[in-house]
């Protein structure tokens, strides 16, 4: 049982107000308060866009951040305890409160790890059962790219997202109109889409190119013939680069 001092509705109310102040309020006002990163459609986005992001850590005194990926600006948020009593404020400074908060964070992290592991296995099983997507899928035609291992489910493209060891961890689902979503509960950190990354053995002279989107990097591969990696959003470029550098230190990125 997680230790949480504040009600979800009050946490959500404060974060939504913070988003409004930043001008990136969500199109649908429902937030997930679980300590994980979530993308969302802002009221300024088109139907297929999700330029907002947030993370809310609920344990102890809630805190987190809100991010506008159009500008890459990240704004930190912390729960306003102005409505709390003096007794509550004193308790927040206590050793007991700190210990309960740390234990709750450990329990939540472990629960998320188990959830991600199960979802990753499910994503792998789903992808392996799907048929290869046709070359005339509307999204491939619109982006003018070939099929690089994409599969299909009910006209949605299934893009395999793997870890550095090549194991499928998640799926990016792309609708014909370009709307994107990720496999529910699957890992988001350390996963990416790649083309020809497994051909580097014995070729340290080759450069690895890393960019943001799947379609972008598919086109880059067609233009260069070099191994390409899609980090899936701009904030993960550095982290994915570090993961690849550790695994493949001899190649230029």
């Amino acid at each position: 049982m997680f230790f949480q001092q504040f009600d979800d509705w009050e946490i959500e109310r404060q974060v939504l107000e913070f988003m409004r102040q930043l001008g990136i309020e969500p199109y649908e006002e429902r937030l997930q308060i679980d300590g994980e990163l979530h993308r969302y459609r802002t009221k300024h986005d088109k139907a297929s866009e999700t330029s907002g992001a947030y993370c809310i850590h609920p344990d102890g005194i809630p805190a987190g951040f809100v991010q506008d990926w159009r500008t890459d600006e990240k704004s930190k948020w912390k729960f306003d305890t102005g409505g709390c009593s003096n007794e509550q404020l004193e308790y927040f400074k206590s050793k007991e409160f700190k210990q309960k908060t740390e234990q709750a964070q450990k329990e939540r992290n472990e629960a998320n790890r188990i959830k991600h592991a199960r979802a990753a296995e499910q994503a792998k099983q789903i992808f392996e059962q799907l048929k290869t997507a046709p070359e005339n899928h509307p999204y491939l035609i619109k982006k003018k790219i070939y099929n690089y291992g994409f599969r299909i489910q009910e006209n949605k493209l299934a893009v395999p997202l793997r870890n550095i060891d090549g194991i499928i961890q998640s799926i990016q689902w792309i609708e014909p109109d370009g709307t994107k979503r990720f496999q529910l509960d699957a890992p988001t950190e350390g996963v990416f889409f790649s083309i020809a990354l497994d051909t580097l053995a014995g070729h340290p002279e080759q450069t690895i190119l890393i960019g943001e989107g799947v379609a972008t990097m598919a086109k880059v591969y067609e233009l260069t013939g070099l191994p390409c990696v899609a980090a899936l959003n701009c904030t993960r470029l550095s982290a994915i680069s570090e993961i690849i550098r550790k695994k493949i230190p001899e190649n230029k990125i």
Side-chain angles (χ1 to χ4, degrees):
M1 181 68 179
F2 299 127
F3 167 68
Q4 190 170 315
Q5 187 71 22
F6 304 94
D7 292 330
D8 282 353
W9 69 266
E10 177 59 19
I11 298 172
E12 185 174 27
R13 186 192 69 77
Q14 289 196 20
V15 175
L16 286 171
E17 179 57 31
F18 188 62
M19 290 173 169
R20 292 188 187 99
Q21 292 174 5
L22 295 172
I24 51 173
E25 60 268 38
Y27 182 79
E28 295 181 346
E29 297 188 349
R30 294 304 308 173
L31 305 178
Q32 297 186 58
I33 305 171
D34 56 7
E36 298 199 53
L37 179 68
H38 298 281
R39 291 283 297 267
Y40 68 93
R41 177 186 174 188
T42 74
K43 289 187 176 180
H44 308 290
D45 286 336
K46 297 177 182 178
S48 62
E49 296 178 330
T50 53
S51 62
Y54 68 90
C55 177
I56 307 171
H57 296 279
D59 305 308
I61 298 178
F65 66 84
V66 173
Q67 188 167 3
D68 184 348
W69 277 351
R70 293 169 300 181
T71 61
D72 201 25
E73 292 184 10
K74 181 186 288 187
S75 302
K76 293 183 179 180
W77 169 86
K78 188 174 183 179
F79 190 88
D80 182 2
T81 58
C84 297
S85 65
N86 289 334
E87 184 179 358
Q88 286 175 309
L89 295 175
E90 284 301 313
Y91 177 59
F92 297 155
K93 300 175 184 178
S94 70
K95 184 177 180 180
E96 178 187 356
F97 181 78
K98 180 180 179 181
Q99 290 175 338
K100 285 186 175 181
T101 297
E102 291 175 348
Q103 181 61 31
Q105 290 173 341
K106 290 180 181 179
E107 291 174 1
R108 193 178 296 276
N109 289 340
E110 178 60 14
N112 285 335
R113 185 193 67 78
I114 294 172
K115 178 179 68 175
H116 290 326
R118 290 172 177 169
E121 181 59 30
Q122 183 182 37
K124 181 175 180 291
Q125 292 175 2
I126 290 173
F127 187 81
E128 290 175 346
Q129 293 173 4
L130 298 179
K131 294 182 179 179
T132 300
E135 295 287 354
N136 64 348
H137 186 277
Y139 186 75
L140 299 181
I141 292 175
K142 178 182 178 181
K143 296 296 183 179
K144 299 180 181 179
I145 58 174
Y146 295 106
N147 185 344
Y148 293 99
F150 310 138
R151 299 190 181 183
I152 193 165
Q153 182 186 76
E154 299 176 354
N155 213 30
K156 299 188 295 289
L157 277 185
V159 179
L161 307 181
R162 295 180 164 87
N163 60 19
I164 192 62
D165 296 317
I167 301 172
I168 292 178
Q169 300 292 292
S170 183
I171 299 172
Q172 184 181 55
W173 299 98
I174 305 179
E175 302 281 356
D177 66 357
T179 301
K180 303 178 180 70
R181 65 179 178 85
F182 293 97
Q183 182 72 16
L184 182 65
D185 292 334
T188 57
E189 300 301 321
V191 302
F192 52 85
F193 171 74
S194 66
I195 303 174
L197 194 63
D198 57 351
T199 67
L200 288 173
H203 299 281
E205 75 283 355
Q206 281 199 322
T207 297
I208 303 168
L209 303 179
I210 303 178
E212 183 175 358
V214 171
T216 298
M217 298 316 294
K219 179 57 65 176
V220 171
Y221 174 74
E222 292 170 9
L223 293 171
T224 67
L226 294 172
C228 287
V229 173
L232 308 178
N233 65 63
C234 59
T235 63
R236 294 180 185 149
L237 289 169
S238 179
I240 295 301
S241 297
E242 291 174 5
I243 290 171
I244 292 175
R245 166 63 63 231
K246 186 175 181 180
K247 182 76 173 184
I248 314 173
E250 66 272 16
N251 292 80
K252 180 181 178 182
I253 295 177

